[in-house]
Amino acid sequence: IKNYFAEMPKKKRNAIFGVAGGIVAKHMTYQGGAGPISKEANNIYIYDCLNIGNIDCTCHLGGIVGITTGKNAVIQNCINKDNEIHAYCGDNGGMVGFTSVNNLDIVNCVTKNTRFTQVIGGNRTYGFTGGMVGDVCAWNADNTTYNKFVNIKNCEVLDSYISSVNKEPAGIL
């Protein structure tokens, strides 16, 4: 995916029971989710993309990718800015909400002027928040071990508000 621009500053992408992403909702072994593109593949490459759309979701959400559990994911020269990312539960991040890929590379990316908020209700008490990546998990949907390498290079989180309920918020990961 290259040179994709997502703009919905006055409206939100909503996924009541699922995941959402500014550019890609899910990069998994099965499909579904709310976002301009939902991708089923082992490898995904996202270059030079911009999201300034607000995202509102119950589960995993990211400014660029909601969830990725394939073999390899590369996000390069992407910007998530001037928006609000709100999770009712689950993980949220400026580039990726949740990942369990074998190799994740995030290079030359920026999260700027983004407000990350989270509300936990009922028995749902999980969800990490990060300026670049919300949650890195050592397993995936196929019950195989992934996340051997997570590389975040030359990235910035600027002028953003990051909060989390019952879990630790982080500036990057």
Side-chain angles (χ1 to χ4, degrees):
I1 300 165
K2 191 168 183 174
N3 297 321
Y4 192 87
F5 174 66
E7 178 182 23
M8 295 177 66
K10 300 207 187 289
K11 297 190 318 186
K12 292 183 178 180
R13 282 183 198 88
N14 290 312
I16 302 303
F17 296 104
V19 303
I23 305 299
V24 175
K26 287 184 178 182
H27 165 234
M28 302 179 73
T29 54
Y30 56 91
Q31 292 185 350
I37 300 166
S38 187
K39 182 81 173 165
E40 178 181 354
N42 278 329
N43 303 302
I44 189 166
Y45 304 96
I46 302 170
Y47 300 101
D48 306 316
C49 291
L50 169 66
N51 176 48
I52 60 172
N54 295 322
I55 306 169
D56 194 26
C57 180
T58 57
C59 203
H60 311 298
L61 59 154
I64 303 299
V65 178
I67 185 170
T68 177
T69 64
K71 298 279 185 202
N72 300 293
V74 175
I75 301 169
Q76 188 170 335
N77 301 323
C78 292
I79 298 171
N80 176 63
K81 69 175 189 169
D82 301 331
N83 58 14
E84 188 172 314
I85 297 177
H86 179 78
Y88 291 98
C89 64
D91 310 302
N92 56 14
M95 293 295 127
V96 177
F98 174 91
T99 180
S100 63
V101 298
N102 193 32
N103 296 302
L104 172 64
D105 289 310
I106 300 175
V107 182
N108 299 326
C109 292
V110 176
T111 297
K112 184 176 182 180
N113 193 31
T114 297
R115 182 174 175 83
F116 296 92
T117 58
Q118 188 178 54
V119 175
I120 305 294
N123 61 356
R124 297 178 184 241
T125 60
Y126 66 94
F128 296 95
T129 302
M132 283 290 144
V133 178
D135 188 9
V136 176
C137 189
W139 58 272
N140 69 6
D142 298 330
N143 291 322
T144 57
T145 302
Y146 278 172
N147 272 339
K148 293 180 182 167
F149 302 100
V150 175
N151 302 300
I152 300 174
K153 301 175 193 172
N154 300 322
C155 295
E156 294 180 298
V157 178
L158 305 167
D159 305 321
S160 296
Y161 172 81
I162 302 171
S163 69
S164 185
V165 177
N166 297 332
K167 296 292 180 180
E168 300 82 11
I172 298 291
L173 173 64

